[in-house]
Amino acid sequence: MDDIDREILRLLQIDGRMTATALASEVGLTVAPCHRRIKELERSGVLTGYRAVVDPAAVGLTFQALVFVTLRDRQQMLTFEDEVGRIEQIVKADRLFGEPDFLLKVIAADLQAYQRFYDEVLVGLPGVEKLTSTIVMKTVKEEGALPL
């Protein structure tokens, strides 16, 4: 990966819909080599995908909670991770060193919807010993682009 690849990645993080023509112009290449670089970044797994960013409040999802999870034992770790990966209300999940074991970001319509999700889903996840929720009051900074 060279400086041109990094610049392509930086620009795509800002605008994932940028055309190969516009990218080529920005990085000083013609379209064909720029397109080849993009395809190679995708093929090699450096560029993992494209997505639309949706305002949660605009679609009625106004409640967010951070949930700290401690497992009873490490034997359930992979089963827990697999299950969490299938649940759409969990929009981010990080495995942590030490205690707790995981940090989950959960989104819901409101407090009542979160309570139902907590009672019906979170407490039933494999191996859960302890759950601690913290309500997100305000998002100051969304997950941003990597500093390339």
Side-chain angles (χ1 to χ4, degrees), residues 122-140:
L122 290 178
V123 297
L125 287 171
V128 169
E129 178 179 301
K130 180 180 176 185
L131 298 169
T132 304
S133 297
T134 300
I135 297 171
V136 175
M137 180 173 26
K138 175 183 175 184
T139 299
V140 177

Side-chain angles (χ1 to χ4, degrees), residues 30-127:
T30 58
V31 176
C34 184
H35 193 286
R36 278 194 298 275
R37 283 176 179 259
I38 294 167
K39 289 299 176 193
E40 179 57 25
L41 290 166
E42 292 170 347
R43 189 203 59 74
S44 66
V46 173
L47 189 54
T48 60
Y50 304 86
R51 66 183 184 97
V53 179
V54 178
D55 176 8
V59 293
L61 298 169
T62 60
F63 186 89
Q64 293 181 40
L66 301 177
V67 183
F68 298 94
V69 181
T70 302
L71 299 181
R72 280 188 286 281
D73 58 59
R74 303 281 187 240
Q75 293 180 24
Q76 294 287 330
M77 186 92 50
L78 295 178
T79 307
F80 175 86
E81 290 176 359
D82 288 343
E83 186 67 25
V84 163
R86 287 191 279 276
I87 301 170
E88 65 181 6
Q89 292 91 338
I90 300 172
V91 295
K92 188 168 192 305
D94 295 308
R95 183 172 165 192
L96 309 174
F97 278 108
E99 296 283 331
D101 296 307
F102 290 90
L103 172 60
L104 309 178
K105 183 176 180 184
V106 176
I107 194 157
D110 53 31
L111 178 60
Q112 291 75 25
Y114 175 70
Q115 179 190 348
R116 282 190 306 278
F117 179 73
Y118 183 98
D119 293 343
E120 296 170 7
V121 177
L122 290 178
V123 297
L125 287 171

Side-chain angles (χ1 to χ4, degrees), residues 6 9-10 13 46 143-148:
R6 289 183 184 281
L9 293 170
R10 189 186 70 75
Q13 285 183 113
V46 173
E143 188 170 331
L146 295 176
L148 301 173

